[in-house]
């Protein structure tokens, strides 16, 4: 018997495996070092199968999804064409992110199990201990799959949650009808509803708002020719924003409107309602489509779970058309353009020949499927007219590695950096009680690693040990936003070490400005540390180098606690190796400029679109 393991067996499964092993009838296969070590510690003979890493598998899944989108089903058409609303709106480009996130684990289990089976005899009996029962859908009776949980990705939440959601939409729609919006404005689509602490752009005091775009929001809010369009997100949220945020307009905006007023109008418009109903029937029929490739069939079935999200996206598209006809805006744009909330509105603007723009909101990696396109996608024109990017690196990534038109990419810089000149000039020492200029501050940027809890615990432990073993050192832990709901791992590890951790959740840029050294695994916080010219240490035990900091020569690599401790001692005594030239080249590639004026350049480029367009190389 052959057994493929993606997880630790439960007690009953383990008992069965031990019986087979006792009769020398078991061959066991695993794919990660942690599970391999676990079995070896139990004195079980196990084979560690070499496979591509998670990042490589994500890229392979992107290719598989692209092929599925363009492959004809048994009925003779592709899902890309089946879901097409009109030549301006292809919902496939909207839903593929959800499919990618919901299927990557199952894809890995399918591909890696196939790799094992391909080397066995045809009549071999195979057991698979999977993380999801979805994996069972790919194999015949000779392969028995035992999943630890039912896959429910994309499933609609309970009726009460849906009623709550639509209650919010109706309330916002009624608010929107109270006030008549201005026409012929530049429309900025807003939907973050974040209320986090960050520094005012002059670095003087803390305010509440969006930590990524607040400085741009503040400028948009005082411009006479801009109106902020508040757009509530699609249903299915794990947690809705506070009512104080969604029941009023954005506090930064002197002119705003609630987009939901047009959604109600779309439901009341007979032609729009007819098109929405037609699309709903089309999506419903999609479950009848058949594919020879079992994974294509699986993707098609998973897409059906997104039915009502897709229908609501078409409602937004129809509402967007009505809004364009009513307001005749100069431009329409925003950040996070590939969301269910905003993409349909942007495509409605394109359908009405109104210039559209998007703003880069994070580092655009090769693993981000939102920005991965092929030549066969170009004719569908899925992009906005202009994308405002941070620097040359993003421009090259989108034009060379993807297929964005070169003249659609506009260099502006990263708006969050507008506060850096102020924070460099005067450090916000009030963020850290008892701040001491003679004390070396180490900032550990923790990461959310749901796949590798043991790795995360080891990282936390090694960083905290510095606090106990190195004199005159102050170790600050900055949790990832997705870790804030449960800080117990940090506290428990510290308790085991006999330490009291200093966990700080304040403004990231303020904390970086106060630190001397930033430690990370591969978080993008490492890049932001380089903006402030801080020493960057990558604590990476296996040389994963997830963000390329080591390869690009901008970080000091430590592969063990002893190496980390030695690195800190070197910093405190003679100083670390000078990496300033490599770091400057790295920053020059990522950012157009850190001059405190990004928000003004963004406004300038957006206004230029309504006056005849913007050239990607016009960066004065």
């Amino acid at each position: 018997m052959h057994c493929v393991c993606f997880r630790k067996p439960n007690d009953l499964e383990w008992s069965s495996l031990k019986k087979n092993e006792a009769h020398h009838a078991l061959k066991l296969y695993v794919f990660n070092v942690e599970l391999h070590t676990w079995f070896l510690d139990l004195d079980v003979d196990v084979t560690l199968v070499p496979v591509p890493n998670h990042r490589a598998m994500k890229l392979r899944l992107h290719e598989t999804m692209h092929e599925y989108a363009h492959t004809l089903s048994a009925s003779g058409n592709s899902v890309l064409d089946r879901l097409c609303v009109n030549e301006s709106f292809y919902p496939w480009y909207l839903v593929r992110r959800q499919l990618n996130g919901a299927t990557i684990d199952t894809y890995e289990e399918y591909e890696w199990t196939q790799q094992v089976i391909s080397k066995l005899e045809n009549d071999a009996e195979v057991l698979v201990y999977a993380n999801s029962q979805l994996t069972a859908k790919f194999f015949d009776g000779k392969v028995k799959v035992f999943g630890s949980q039912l896959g429910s990705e994309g499933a609609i939440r309970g009726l009460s949650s849906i009623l709550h959601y639509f209650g919010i939409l109706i309330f916002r729609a009624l608010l929107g009808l109270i006030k008549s919006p201005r026409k012929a404005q530049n429309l900025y689509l807003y939907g973050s509803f974040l209320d986090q602490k960050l520094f005012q752009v002059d670095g003087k005091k803390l305010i509440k708002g969006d930590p990524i775009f607040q400085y741009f929001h503040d400028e948009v809010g005082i411009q006479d020719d801009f109106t902020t369009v508040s757009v509530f997100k699609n249903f299915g949220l794990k947690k809705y924003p506070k009512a104080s945020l969604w029941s009023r307009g954005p506090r930064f905006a002197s002119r705003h409107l609630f987009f939901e007023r047009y959604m109600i109008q779309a439901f009341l418009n007979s032609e729009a309602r007819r098109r929405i109903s037609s699309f709903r029937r089309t999506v419903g029929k999609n479950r009848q489509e058949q594919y020879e490739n079992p994974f294509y069939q699986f993707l098609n079935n998973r897409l059906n779970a997104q039915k009502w999200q897709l229908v609501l996206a078409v409602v937004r598209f129809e509402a967007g058309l009505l809004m364009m006809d009513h307001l005749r805006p100069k431009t329409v744009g925003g950040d996070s353009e590939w969301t269910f909330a905003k993409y349909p509105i942007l495509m409605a603007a394109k359908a009405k020949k109104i210039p559209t723009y998007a703003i880069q909101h994070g580092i655009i990696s090769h693993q981000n499927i939102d920005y991965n396109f092929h030549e066969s996608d170009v004719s569908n024109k899925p992009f906005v007219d202009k994308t405002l990017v941070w620097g040359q690196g993003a421009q090259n990534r989108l034009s060379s590695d993807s297929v964005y038109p070169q003249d659609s990419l506009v260099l502006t810089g990263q708006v969050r950096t507008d506060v850096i000149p102020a924070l460099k000039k005067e450090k916000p020492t009030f963020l850290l009680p008892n701040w001491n200029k003679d004390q070396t501050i180490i900032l550990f940027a923790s990461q959310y690693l749901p796949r590798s809890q043991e790795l995360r615990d080891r990282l936390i432990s090694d960083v905290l040990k510095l606090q106990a073993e190195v004199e005159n050192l102050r170790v600050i832990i900055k949790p990832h936003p997705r870790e804030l709901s449960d800080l117990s791992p940090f506290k428990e590890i510290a308790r085991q070490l006999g330490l009291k951790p200093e966990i700080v959740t304040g403004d990231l840029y303020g904390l970086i400005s106060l630190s001397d050294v930033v430690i990370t695994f591969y978080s993008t916080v490492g890049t932001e540390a380089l903006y402030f010219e801080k020493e960057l240490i990558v604590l990476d035990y296996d040389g994963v180098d997830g963000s390329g900091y080591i390869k690009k020569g901008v970080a000091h690599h430590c592969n063990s606690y002893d190496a980390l401790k030695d690195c800190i001692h070197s910093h405190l005594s003679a100083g670390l190796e000078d990496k300033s030239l490599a770091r400057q080249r790295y920053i020059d590639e990522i950012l157009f400029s850190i001059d405190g004026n990004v928000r003004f350049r963004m406004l300038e480029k957006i206004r230029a679109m309504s006056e005849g367009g913007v050239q990607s190389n016009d960066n004065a």
Side-chain angles (χ1 to χ4, degrees), residues 11 132 193-194 272 289 317 353 417 458 550:
D11 291 343
S132 170
F193 300 101
L194 295 177
E289 300 293 337
F317 178 75
K353 311 300 182 185
T417 67
R458 183 181 176 186
I550 302 169

Side-chain angles (χ1 to χ4, degrees), residues 580-598:
S580 57
L581 290 178
R583 289 170 176 170
Q584 191 57 55
R585 286 195 297 268
Y586 177 78
I587 292 172
D588 288 344
E589 179 182 356
I590 291 178
L591 293 184
F592 174 64
S593 179
I594 304 178
D595 59 0
N597 294 313
V598 176

Side-chain angles (χ1 to χ4, degrees), residues 86-135:
N86 65 25
E87 61 182 12
S88 296
F89 184 32
Y90 288 81
W92 163 253
Y93 298 114
L94 180 61
V95 76
R96 60 184 188 158
R97 177 204 287 185
Q98 277 66 30
L99 284 183
N100 179 73
T103 58
I104 179 59
D105 292 340
T106 305
Y107 179 71
E108 287 183 347
E109 293 181 357
Y110 166 67
E111 287 287 326
W112 294 350
T113 302
Q114 286 284 50
Q115 181 175 324
V116 171
I117 292 175
S118 67
K119 298 177 181 179
L120 305 179
E121 297 179 359
N122 289 336
D123 60 349
E125 185 179 358
V126 180
L127 297 179
V128 180
Y129 290 118
N131 287 306
S132 170
Q133 291 186 5
L134 293 173
T135 306

Side-chain angles (χ1 to χ4, degrees), residues 306-360:
Q306 299 290 333
K307 174 182 176 180
W308 293 109
Q309 296 279 21
L310 286 165
V311 171
L312 189 55
V314 173
V315 173
R316 292 187 190 278
F317 178 75
E318 292 291 342
L321 294 176
L322 294 174
M323 183 174 74
M324 303 310 153
D325 287 339
H326 180 214
L327 300 182
R328 299 310 304 171
K330 296 177 180 178
T331 62
V332 180
D335 65 281
S336 303
E337 69 273 27
W338 296 106
T339 61
F340 275 108
K342 295 178 184 176
Y343 186 68
I345 305 172
L346 292 167
M347 294 303 102
K350 284 191 70 175
K352 295 293 184 177
K353 311 300 182 185
I354 295 167
T356 55
Y357 65 91
I359 305 168
Q360 181 181 346

Side-chain angles (χ1 to χ4, degrees), residues 435-451:
W435 179 80
N436 183 346
K437 65 181 179 63
D438 297 322
Q439 200 172 37
T440 298
I441 297 177
I442 305 293
L443 178 64
F444 173 56
S446 181
Q447 286 176 250
Y448 180 67
L449 300 171
R451 288 170 154 265

Side-chain angles (χ1 to χ4, degrees), residues 19 30 143 180 196 250 274 279 413 451 503 512 574 576 591 600:
K19 288 179 182 178
V30 297
V143 179
S180 297
Q196 299 178 16
R274 180 186 60 78
F279 180 80
R451 288 170 154 265
I503 302 171
I512 294 176
L576 295 169
L591 293 184
F600 302 124

Side-chain angles (χ1 to χ4, degrees), residues 290-483:
Q290 298 295 316
Y291 290 86
E292 290 184 11
N293 184 305
F295 199 80
Y296 291 176
Q297 189 64 52
F298 170 74
L299 286 173
N300 200 67
N301 293 340
R302 297 311 297 157
L303 183 146
N304 294 328
Q306 299 290 333
K307 174 182 176 180
W308 293 109
Q309 296 279 21
L310 286 165
V311 171
L312 189 55
V314 173
V315 173
R316 292 187 190 278
F317 178 75
E318 292 291 342
L321 294 176
L322 294 174
M323 183 174 74
M324 303 310 153
D325 287 339
H326 180 214
L327 300 182
R328 299 310 304 171
K330 296 177 180 178
T331 62
V332 180
D335 65 281
S336 303
E337 69 273 27
W338 296 106
T339 61
F340 275 108
K342 295 178 184 176
Y343 186 68
I345 305 172
L346 292 167
M347 294 303 102
K350 284 191 70 175
K352 295 293 184 177
K353 311 300 182 185
I354 295 167
T356 55
Y357 65 91
I359 305 168
Q360 181 181 346
H361 54 278
I363 290 179
I364 301 175
S365 71
H366 290 80
Q367 298 177 76
N368 191 330
I369 194 170
D370 286 341
Y371 299 94
N372 285 349
F373 295 93
H374 296 68
E375 288 294 339
S376 54
D377 295 311
V378 174
S379 60
N380 299 328
K381 300 178 181 179
F383 325 110
V384 294
D385 297 306
K386 301 291 180 182
T387 302
L388 279 55
V389 297
W390 295 353
Q392 196 67 49
Q395 187 180 56
N396 293 340
R397 160 80 179 89
L398 294 177
S399 62
S400 301
D401 299 337
S402 190
V403 291
Y404 274 67
Q406 181 75 20
D407 62 0
S408 73
L409 304 170
V410 185
L411 304 184
T412 58
Q414 182 183 358
V415 71
R416 190 178 186 182
T417 67
D418 275 359
V419 73
I420 291 180
L423 293 178
K424 281 185 174 181
K425 184 177 180 180
E426 185 175 349
K427 291 186 176 182
T429 56
F430 66 87
L431 276 183
L432 296 179
N434 304 315
W435 179 80
N436 183 346
K437 65 181 179 63
D438 297 322
Q439 200 172 37
T440 298
I441 297 177
I442 305 293
L443 178 64
F444 173 56
S446 181
Q447 286 176 250
Y448 180 67
L449 300 171
R451 288 170 154 265
S452 307
Q453 293 295 334
E454 293 179 17
L455 171 60
R456 188 186 73 161
D457 291 350
R458 183 181 176 186
L459 290 166
I460 295 170
S461 177
D462 283 353
V463 172
L464 284 174
K465 280 190 284 188
L466 292 173
Q467 181 177 320
E469 299 183 14
V470 181
E471 293 183 1
N472 202 34
L473 204 67
R474 186 172 182 178
V475 176
I476 307 295
I477 294 179
K478 178 69 168 72
H480 186 278
R482 296 181 72 177
E483 296 175 320

